């Protein structure tokens, strides 16, 4: 079954209007388990919303079906340090399906000096923003936009080292050891 995401909206008043498409709660891309992040405002680990992107991200692309309305599109990406970066994809003032792509700037941190070097980046929202040059009538018309095939160009190569998965022992059975013991 093919599935696409469709958004239908109409603004009541013209102005600096925007639509924010928020992803579902975050799941580890490899293990398909919930990811919990510390929320400083509540003081608890919580499952936040976002789409994890594996590896070092080079670009994000998305097929968009637009109907000639004057909106600008952005993708918001959060780096491993918690900073959000707004990547402007461009105008969706066209008719029909079109692939849109944004390259990830090199100033967005994705690696550290310690192992594993690659740190997670995630998509936290897709935003459709009213073009400031649009007319009052254009902003107040009913609008339909469809999204399909979110793709990521990424480098998932990681230098492995002895003990790469040792931390998983603590999750499975409670503590240290686990190796063969010799002696009395």
């Amino acid at each position: 079954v093919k599935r696409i995401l469709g958004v239908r909206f109409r603004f009541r008043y013209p102005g600096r209007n925007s639509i924010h498409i928020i992803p579902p709660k975050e799941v580890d891309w490899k293990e398909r388990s919930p990811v919990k992040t510390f929320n400083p405002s509540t003081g608890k680990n919580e499952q936040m919303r976002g789409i994890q992107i594996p590896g070092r991200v080079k670009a994000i692309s998305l097929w968009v079906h637009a109907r000639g309305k004057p909106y600008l599109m952005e993708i918001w990406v959060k780096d491993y340090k918690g900073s959000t970066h707004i990547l402007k994809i461009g105008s969706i003032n066209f008719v029909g399906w079109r692939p849109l792509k944004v390259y990830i700037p090199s100033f967005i941190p994705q690696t550290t000096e310690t192992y594993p070097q690659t740190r997670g980046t995630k998509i936290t929202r897709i935003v459709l923003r009213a073009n400031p040059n649009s007319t009052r009538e254009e902003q107040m018309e009913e609008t339909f936009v469809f999204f399909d095939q979110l793709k990521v160009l990424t480098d998932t190569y990681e230098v492995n080292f002895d003990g790469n998965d040792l931390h998983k022992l603590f999750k499975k059975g409670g503590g240290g050891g686990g190796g063969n013991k010799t002696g009395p």
Side-chain angles (χ1 to χ4, degrees):
V1 174
K2 277 192 161 189
R3 293 185 182 173
I4 61 173
L5 174 65
V7 180
R8 173 184 168 193
F9 59 92
R10 173 186 294 176
F11 293 112
R12 186 172 287 172
Y13 304 104
R16 296 178 182 241
N17 295 316
S18 62
I19 296 291
H20 294 247
I21 302 163
I22 311 292
K25 292 194 174 182
E26 190 175 357
V27 176
D28 184 88
W29 71 275
K30 210 185 251 184
E31 298 175 8
R32 293 290 181 220
S33 59
V35 172
K36 299 210 175 191
T37 307
F38 181 75
N39 184 345
S41 62
T42 62
K44 298 178 182 176
N45 285 332
E46 297 176 357
Q47 192 177 7
M48 304 292 200
R49 295 185 174 272
I51 300 171
Q52 278 194 355
I53 306 173
R56 293 176 188 101
V57 186
K58 309 292 182 197
I60 300 171
S61 71
L62 181 68
W63 278 86
V64 178
H65 184 280
R67 303 223 172 144
K69 304 291 183 188
Y71 288 93
L72 305 171
M73 191 166 131
E74 306 167 350
I75 290 187
W76 292 21
V77 175
K78 186 180 273 192
D79 64 32
Y80 76 93
K81 293 180 177 181
S83 297
T84 298
H85 306 272
I86 299 172
L87 307 175
K88 297 184 185 293
I89 293 181
S91 174
I92 61 164
N93 194 359
F94 55 85
V95 176
W97 285 102
R98 190 176 287 179
L100 299 178
K101 182 189 274 187
V102 63
Y103 291 95
I104 306 299
S106 60
F107 63 79
I108 295 179
Q110 298 186 61
T111 60
T112 64
E113 297 296 319
T114 60
Y115 288 100
Q117 287 182 313
T118 303
R119 301 295 182 181
T121 305
K122 61 184 171 184
I123 296 171
T124 56
R125 65 183 62 204
I126 297 172
V127 177
L128 295 174
R129 199 172 294 284
N131 189 329
N133 300 325
S134 61
T135 66
R136 175 184 175 93
E137 292 75 28
E138 287 174 323
Q139 283 194 31
M140 295 172 62
E141 289 178 353
E142 186 172 46
T143 303
F144 297 87
V145 181
F146 298 92
F147 303 96
D148 196 13
Q149 296 185 22
L150 174 69
K151 294 182 182 180
V152 178
L153 176 62
T154 184
D155 176 7
T156 58
Y157 176 75
E158 182 69 53
V159 176
N160 288 319
F161 61 96
D162 187 28
N164 192 32
D165 291 329
L166 277 177
H167 66 282
K168 292 181 182 176
L169 289 175
F170 286 97
K171 293 178 184 175
K172 289 183 181 172
N180 294 333
K181 290 187 177 182
T182 57

